[in-house]
Amino acid sequence: MKQFSKDSNSIADYTRKLTVIFLYALLYAIALNMFWHPASIYTGGITGFSQIINTVVEKWFGVSLSISVIYYLLNLPFLLYGWKKMNKEIVIFTLLSVTAASIAISIVPEIVLTKDPIICALFGGAIGGSSLGLALKNGIATGGLDIGIIAIRRKTGRSIGSISMIINGIIVLAAGYLFGFPYAFYSLLSIIVSGKVTDFIFTKQQKMQALIITRQPEKVVAELKVRLLRGVTILNEAEGAYDHREKVVLLTVITRYEMPLLEEAIKEADNEAFVSISENVHTIGKFDDFEF
C-alpha cells in the first residue's frame, strides 16, 4: 500500500512538472516571438546568444537561421556535461524544457503587436520572467546554461548571481556593439524586468533549515561542501535516546532549489543519516542565494 502511494505521488509529480514545462515553453515563445524578436531586444542566457548569432549570420552573410535550432544546439554541450556530473533527473527535465521551448519557438508565430522597444522590453520581460519563475518554482531548470553556471560556481566559488550578471552583461554589450547601444539599453531593461518578475514568482528567499543526524559527519560535511558550497555548523556529543549511541548533529540552511543536491549528498555520504527539514526559515547576515 505504501509503495502504491509512493508511486502515485511520483506520477503526480511528473505530470505536474510536464504540465509546467508545456506552460513555460508556450509563454517563453510568446515573449520571444511577439515582443523581443520584433523589437530587436536581446534577452539573457543562451536565448540571447542564439538571437545574436541569428542576427549576425543574417546581417553579414544573408542567411536566415532558425533561433529554435541555434538555441537547441547551444544547449546540448551543457546538457551532456550535466549528464556526467549532476543529478540525472534534473538534467532529464532540463532537456525536456529545452526541447519544449525549441518546439514552441518554432511553432508560435512571430506576430508583430508593436515595435515600440520600451513596450516590448517591459511586456517581453514580464512574460518571459513569469515563465522562468513558474518553471523554477516547480524545480525545473530552463536551459543548459544553468548547468554551466553551476559548474563555474563549483570551480570558482563565485555566487550564481554574479556569474549570471557577467554572462548577461556580455550579451548586452555584444548587442550594443554589433547593433547600436539603444539595443543594449532596451535589452538591459528587459533583462531587469524579467529578473524581477522571476524573483516575485519563484520566491528564492524561501530557505530551508536542515538538521542532519549522522555517525559519519566528516563524510557528510565533505559532500555538502562539494555540492552546495554551504556553511555547516557541527553540534558534537548528541545522544540517541533509544540506543544511547553518540551521534553528531549538523546544521545548515539551503534554498528550496538545492533540496535535490542535499538529498544526493546525504545518499552518497551516509545513507543511514536522519534529516529533518524546516521550511520558510529566515536568516540574518550574508546568505548566498542559489539562483538561475
Side-chain angles (χ1 to χ4, degrees):
M1 188 68 179
K2 289 183 178 179
Q3 182 63 41
F4 175 77
S5 177
K6 183 177 179 181
D7 292 341
S8 298
N9 290 336
S10 297
I11 293 172
D13 184 57
Y14 291 153
T15 302
R16 174 179 57 81
K17 286 188 175 182
L18 290 174
T19 303
V20 170
I21 286 174
F22 171 78
L23 293 175
Y24 152 73
L26 179 61
L27 289 173
Y28 200 72
I30 290 173
L32 178 63
N33 290 347
M34 296 186 184
F35 294 98
W36 288 328
H37 196 59
S40 298
I41 292 173
Y42 298 83
T43 186
I46 286 183
T47 308
F49 284 114
S50 303
Q51 289 177 279
I52 290 175
I53 292 173
N54 171 268
T55 305
V56 167
V57 172
E58 186 173 356
K59 187 175 182 179
W60 293 355
F61 302 100
V63 178
S64 180
L65 298 178
S66 170
I67 291 180
S68 62
V69 174
I70 299 172
Y71 171 80
Y72 197 84
L73 292 177
L74 289 180
N75 271 287
L76 288 180
F78 296 105
L79 292 170
L80 290 174
Y81 172 85
W83 185 257
K84 295 179 180 179
K85 300 289 185 179
M86 296 180 62
N87 182 289
K88 298 294 190 295
E89 183 174 319
I90 292 177
V91 178
I92 289 172
F93 277 106
T94 304
L95 174 61
L96 291 174
S97 69
V98 168
T99 303
S102 299
I103 294 172
I105 290 170
S106 64
I107 292 177
V108 173
E110 292 191 13
I111 301 174
V112 181
L113 300 176
T114 176
K115 286 191 175 182
D116 186 299
I118 295 180
I119 293 177
C120 287
L122 293 175
F123 278 85
I127 296 173
S130 298
S131 68
L132 293 173
L134 178 65
L136 293 174
K137 188 174 183 179
N138 287 273
I140 301 168
T142 57
L145 190 58
D146 299 345
I147 296 172
I149 290 174
I150 294 172
I152 294 172
R153 182 193 186 202
R154 289 180 176 176
K155 291 291 185 181
T156 64
R158 298 181 66 90
S159 70
I160 295 294
S162 64
I163 297 170
S164 299
M165 286 178 61
I166 292 171
I167 292 174
N168 288 333
I170 292 172
I171 293 173
V172 169
L173 290 175
Y177 176 78
L178 291 170
F179 316 115
F181 278 95
Y183 293 106
F185 297 137
Y186 297 133
S187 299
L188 179 60
L189 173 62
S190 188
I191 289 172
I192 292 173
V193 172
S194 178
K196 292 296 183 182
V197 174
T198 299
D199 287 348
F200 178 77
I201 295 175
F202 170 52
T203 53
K204 66 181 182 181
Q205 296 87 352
Q206 288 188 359
K207 301 175 181 68
M208 308 169 72
Q209 178 179 279
L211 282 175
I212 305 164
I213 302 174
T214 176
R215 294 192 182 97
Q216 302 184 59
E218 294 83 4
K219 290 184 179 180
V220 175
V221 169
E223 283 294 326
L224 291 176
K225 286 184 176 180
V226 169
R227 299 174 189 274
L228 298 177
L229 296 178
R230 290 288 178 207
V232 181
T233 299
I234 302 175
L235 306 176
N236 290 305
E237 299 181 1
E239 180 183 336
Y242 178 75
D243 56 12
H244 298 285
R245 295 178 62 181
E246 185 175 319
K247 302 175 183 180
V248 174
V249 178
L250 306 176
L251 171 65
T252 188
V253 177
I254 62 174
T255 62
R256 180 179 294 277
Y257 202 90
E258 290 173 303
M259 188 61 191
L261 298 177
L262 175 69
E263 293 175 350
E264 190 178 302
I266 298 299
K267 184 178 180 181
E268 181 70 24
D270 181 9
N271 202 31
E272 295 183 354
F274 176 80
V275 183
S276 174
I277 302 294
S278 300
E279 298 191 6
N280 299 329
V281 298
H282 296 279
T283 61
I284 298 175
K286 187 177 184 298
F287 184 87
D288 183 20
D289 282 322
F290 183 85
E291 56 185 294
F292 286 111

